[in-house]
Amino acid sequence: MSTIEQNLQDVRAKIATAARNCARSPEEVILLAVSKTKPVTAIEEAIAAGQYAFGENYVQEGVDKIHYFANNANLEWHFIGPLQSNKSRLVAENFAWCHTVDRLKIAQRLSAQRPAAMPPLNVLIQVNISDEESKSGVALAGLPALADSLSELPNLNLRGLMAIPAVESDYQRQLAVFEQMHQAFLTLKARYPQMDTLSMGMTDDVAAAISAGSTLVRIGTAIFGSRA
Ligand SMILES: *Cc1c(COP(=O)(O)O)cnc(C)c1O
């Protein structure tokens, strides 16, 4: 068995345990394999081990991989990196999901640039939940207004929220931040019932994220090893 295959088994087991520990079904949590900086051979190993959803942070690298795997229609590509306006077209034309929409201007560009032949782009609003100056994401206070404007755009499908909290090793403190996100998600979902995705949890905080209601965890290191 390859290392990546073994790692995927371990990560799936960890997700299942975390879900059962809080009386959730493991099927409620989608595993996004974050393959940024990793070669296509690593992605091929993950595909062979049953993985289909991949997350990329850098637009051009992600597009190159999408083109490389173009004949595999089962794969689902998520853009999860910071998005500059001048790169929005490549995201709109190539990815199925974008997790990092945090301002109306980017949302408008993605909607306008989404090709008519493709289904609407699935988008998540990134929330700056730890209120860090250096991080992208809309502040919680700005979330309702952004969601209202975004939901009017024809070629976007507002699927939920995403967050990258400040690094924190204490489980209880990780949990407290993720629970704030879950509350914001539920509040917004009451207005937009089609929202079904709460993207939170990475290699080092996945258990707390699942306990707080994450429906999609983004895991890189635990699957592909550390990055250079
Ligand atoms: C790199 C990255 C991940 C994966 O992080 P790991 O700690 O390697 O699991 C998840 N989400 C985002 C937005 C990332 O940039």
Side-chain angles (χ1 to χ4, degrees):
M1 195 184 295
S2 81
T3 309
I4 288 173
E5 183 177 9
Q6 182 65 58
N7 289 349
L8 270 167
Q9 281 192 12
D10 294 347
V11 168
R12 289 184 190 124
K14 192 172 172 184
I15 291 170
T17 301
R20 286 197 202 91
N21 281 346
C22 56
R24 298 183 62 199
S25 159
E27 285 78 53
E28 291 173 30
V29 184
I30 291 165
L31 172 58
L32 185 68
V34 176
S35 44
K36 63 183 177 203
T37 79
K38 298 297 176 181
V40 292
T41 49
I43 296 174
E44 277 163 347
E45 281 185 46
I47 294 169
Q51 182 63 29
Y52 72 94
F54 293 89
E56 288 285 336
N57 282 60
Y58 308 104
V59 177
Q60 193 56 56
E61 179 189 341
V63 169
D64 289 346
K65 288 171 176 170
I66 291 170
H67 288 163
Y68 182 88
F69 289 104
N71 60 1
N72 188 338
N74 296 324
L75 303 186
E76 188 178 274
W77 295 92
H78 296 233
F79 184 73
I80 63 171
L83 183 52
Q84 262 88 52
S85 291
N86 62 347
K87 296 282 175 63
S88 63
R89 179 176 296 280
L90 280 171
V91 171
E93 290 180 347
N94 289 282
F95 284 84
W97 288 72
C98 180
H99 290 220
T100 49
V101 175
D102 62 357
R103 54 200 191 277
L104 185 57
K105 186 183 164 211
I106 279 282
Q108 287 167 331
R109 288 178 67 95
L110 289 170
S111 181
Q113 294 165 341
R114 184 69 168 173
M118 295 176 86
L121 180 67
N122 298 297
V123 297
L124 304 177
I125 296 177
Q126 182 176 358
V127 178
N128 187 355
I129 192 68
S130 304
D131 204 16
E132 293 175 283
E133 290 220 354
S134 58
K135 284 254 174 77
S136 13
V138 64
L140 271 183
L143 183 54
L146 179 57
D148 281 352
S149 316
L150 196 155
S151 66
E152 303 288 322
L153 297 171
N155 299 321
L156 303 186
N157 188 2
L158 176 58
R159 298 289 295 269
L161 303 179
M162 177 271 209
I164 313 170
V167 175
E168 168 60 66
S169 57
D170 180 74
Y171 179 88
Q172 291 302 331
R173 285 198 287 251
Q174 291 176 350
L175 193 60
V177 175
F178 286 137
E179 280 175 345
Q180 271 186 285
M181 277 299 298
H182 189 232
Q183 195 52 55
F185 175 73
L186 293 179
T187 303
L188 210 57
K189 186 176 164 63
R191 203 166 149 75
Y192 305 105
Q194 83 279 9
M195 281 188 21
D196 58 3
T197 304
L198 182 54
S199 166
M200 57 188 198
M202 312 187 356
T203 292
D204 292 327
D205 55 14
V206 62
I210 289 171
S211 179
S214 170
T215 71
L216 183 154
V217 294
R218 309 177 309 264
I219 309 289
T221 307
I223 297 172
F224 297 109
S226 59
R227 290 175 295 270

